[in-house]
Amino acid sequence: MSWPVRATTVVYENPWIRVREDAVTRPDGTDGIYGVVELQRPAVFVVALTEADEVVLVTVDRHTVGTSVEVPAGGTDGEDPLVAARRELAEETGLVARDWREIGTMNALNGVCRAPEVVYLATGLARVPGAPASAARAEEGIRDVRRVPVREVIGLVRDGSITDGETIAALMLALVALGRVS
């Protein structure tokens, strides 16, 4: 089953996203219009795990939803996804990781978006030498970086403290990769 596209119009575009309107034929054969948001480049998500079995989380003020607790993440900006993941971890948390493993890919809001994402598990964490509070953190509205034991992170999902769907999905991929869920 598919959604044949008869025409496409780009209605908005910037360096990060494109919004298009597709004239489609729905699966039932009727004509319709479908709005699609496309990321210009894939995004990356980093589940950073300490030796004490803690996940590094950031609290960020998002223009769209307000306060949000998330794993470090961001756009690839045309870089290789692993290079971007390393950059995002350092910028958002002041940490570097010795070991990196790609643990999955996902698509955000696939009912209205084409937003490919790559998820990494980062271990062997250390502070970036001499790293003061990052200007990137302030620019992005990151107001807290903390380490939370894995068992408590699950509780933050359960009690609604973590509501970011991509963070929840990235955490699930990490738990699967670590053999904690099957």
Side-chain angles (χ1 to χ4, degrees), residues 91-104:
E91 286 177 358
E92 293 189 7
T93 69
L95 297 170
V96 293
R98 180 184 62 243
D99 302 306
W100 289 85
R101 180 167 61 147
E102 184 178 323
I103 57 173

Side-chain angles (χ1 to χ4, degrees), residues 60-82:
V60 59
D61 180 30
R62 293 280 183 203
H63 172 68
T64 51
V65 296
T67 301
S68 182
V69 177
E70 305 173 5
V71 297
T76 57
D77 298 339
E79 300 168 303
D80 177 81
L82 180 56

Side-chain angles (χ1 to χ4, degrees), residues 16-179:
W16 302 278
I17 66 168
R18 175 183 306 124
V19 180
R20 69 175 207 256
E21 186 174 271
D22 292 343
V24 299
T25 302
R26 295 183 188 103
D28 67 2
T30 61
D31 290 341
I33 295 174
Y34 210 104
V36 179
V37 177
E38 299 176 302
L39 288 184
Q40 298 282 29
R41 296 176 191 91
V44 292
F45 291 78
V46 180
V47 179
L49 188 66
T50 70
E51 301 214 0
D53 203 37
E54 302 160 314
V55 175
V56 179
L57 297 172
V58 297
T59 301
V60 59
D61 180 30
R62 293 280 183 203
H63 172 68
T64 51
V65 296
T67 301
S68 182
V69 177
E70 305 173 5
V71 297
T76 57
D77 298 339
E79 300 168 303
D80 177 81
L82 180 56
V83 171
R86 291 177 190 268
R87 176 181 44 77
E88 290 295 336
L89 181 64
E91 286 177 358
E92 293 189 7
T93 69
L95 297 170
V96 293
R98 180 184 62 243
D99 302 306
W100 289 85
R101 180 167 61 147
E102 184 178 323
I103 57 173
T105 59
M106 53 191 189
N107 294 292
L109 299 169
N110 61 7
V112 294
C113 293
R114 189 191 57 73
E117 301 166 332
V118 182
V119 183
Y120 291 93
L121 179 64
T123 55
L125 303 178
R127 282 237 158 262
V128 173
S134 169
R137 274 183 259 171
E139 178 185 333
E140 293 186 30
I142 296 172
R143 58 180 147 107
D144 186 40
V145 178
R146 61 187 166 139
R147 299 170 184 217
V148 178
V150 170
R151 70 185 177 286
E152 291 179 26
V153 169
I154 302 305
L156 294 176
V157 172
R158 183 182 305 113
D159 73 15
S161 297
I162 296 176
T163 59
D164 176 57
E166 294 158 313
T167 291
I168 294 168
L171 291 168
M172 176 58 81
L173 286 170
L175 292 174
V176 168
L178 293 166

